[in-house]
Amino acid sequence: MSETLDTVFAALADPTRREILRMLLEDDMAVTDVAEPFEMSLAAISKHLVILTRAGLISQEKRGRVKWCKLEPDALRDASVWMQGFGQFEPVNLDAFERFLASEMPKQD
Amino acid sequence: MSETLDTVFAALADPTRREILRMLLEDDMAVTDVAEPFEMSLAAISKHLVILTRAGLISQEKRGRVKWCKLEPDALRDASVWMQGFGQFEPVNLDAFERFLASEMPKQD
DNA sequence: CCCATATTTAACCATCTGGTTGACGAACAT
DNA sequence: ATGTTCGTCAACCAGATGGTTAAATATGGG
């Protein structure tokens, strides 16, 4: 059903990949620049970027020789929604959903 | 840094474990009852429960022969906070919410 | 064309994962 | 005491994961 959650959560389960996402939060980056602060090969980083891309968490666009990596935070939405379902512990009934909705609605911007 | 995020996200990256959490949202359950709806061995479910326990997402308490599993939704807080750092995706829209609802419904076909 | 830069691919390796079956221990019931 | 139910443990397996190095594939610049 939601293979997306599988791949998103799996992608987030690695500290290197979370750090990459954090870096991309500041700005788009070329693959080489993403790799620079890590003490691992460029090939390893390239693999991590593939995993992040397949999870939809980043997108990559090639301009010339350089492939730019861009954060795609929308991909976190489903996962975030799933997790927030557990924030309202207690019942799983519609009341909880309504409270959830009510608490989210005003923040529409 | 936070090994916790590793284990929490890794625990969430499996559909069986997410379904177990969903079941526990309704009520505490014995291990055997957790395993019942799944088409896999009790031993396999037992392993999944260990992973969820180590991630802090559930707790287990033995009363007599029966080991009860209890959801610990607080463990999701750190992960949730981390994700909200990417909060460019503004809150939850109804579309996403409907998907959440659907995921909470008992499986059909 | 030749060379350097940017990135991926290929082959390999060690370890982790998710599943199996079967044996085991612990707690109850009769 | 014997057996049954509950759950874990041990050994095993196939496949995924995270890393390596070395070769290959663009692309851009003298």
Side-chain angles (χ1 to χ4, degrees), chain A residues 1-10 54-55, chain B residues 13 15 18:
Chain A
M1 187 187 270
S2 80
E3 168 206 4
T4 302
L5 286 178
D6 281 27
T7 56
V8 169
F9 282 131
R54 283 208 282 245
Chain B
R18 288 197 306 273

Side-chain angles (χ1 to χ4, degrees), chain B:
Chain B
M1 189 140 51
S2 102
E3 168 205 4
T4 302
L5 286 178
D6 281 26
T7 57
V8 169
F9 283 131
L12 295 178
D14 182 277
T16 300
R17 289 193 290 264
R18 288 197 306 273
E19 174 65 10
I20 291 174
L21 293 178
R22 197 199 58 74
M23 288 160 56
L24 293 176
L25 202 49
E26 301 175 25
D27 206 354
D28 297 358
M29 295 179 79
V31 171
T32 304
D33 295 330
V34 169
E36 196 273 331
F38 295 98
E39 290 186 349
M40 79 181 63
S41 69
L42 187 59
I45 296 295
S46 181
K47 284 188 184 180
H48 282 304
L49 292 173
V50 167
I51 291 171
L52 289 169
T53 301
R54 284 209 280 245
L57 291 164
I58 69 171
S59 58
Q60 291 182 292
E61 182 197 353
K62 194 167 181 181
R63 288 202 292 273
R65 276 187 298 192
V66 177
K67 205 164 184 178
W68 293 89
C69 304
K70 181 177 184 299
L71 191 65
E72 297 287 348
D74 283 1
L76 286 170
R77 192 184 301 124
D78 282 355
S80 186
V81 166
W82 189 89
M83 288 175 67
Q84 287 176 24
F86 295 87
Q88 283 125 359
F89 64 99
E90 275 307 320
V92 173
N93 61 30
L94 283 181
D95 204 17
F97 194 73
E98 274 176 331
R99 266 175 281 139
F100 174 49
L101 247 183
S103 74
E104 294 300 313
M105 296 306 199
K107 272 188 231 162
Q108 45 204 22
D109 56 14

Side-chain angles (χ1 to χ4, degrees), chain A residues 13-82:
Chain A
D14 182 278
T16 300
R17 289 192 292 263
R18 287 197 307 274
E19 175 65 11
I20 290 173
L21 293 178
R22 199 196 58 71
M23 289 160 58
L24 291 176
L25 202 49
E26 301 175 25
D27 206 353
D28 298 357
M29 294 179 81
V31 172
T32 304
D33 295 332
V34 169
E36 195 274 330
F38 296 97
E39 290 186 350
M40 81 182 61
S41 69
L42 188 59
I45 295 295
S46 181
K47 284 188 185 181
H48 282 304
L49 293 173
V50 167
I51 291 172
L52 289 169
T53 300
R54 283 208 282 245
L57 290 164
I58 68 171
S59 58
Q60 291 181 290
E61 182 198 353
K62 194 166 182 181
R63 287 201 293 272
R65 279 185 295 192
V66 177
K67 205 165 183 179
W68 292 89
C69 304
K70 181 177 184 299
L71 192 65
E72 295 288 348
D74 281 1
L76 285 170
R77 196 194 298 118
D78 282 355
S80 181
V81 168
W82 189 89

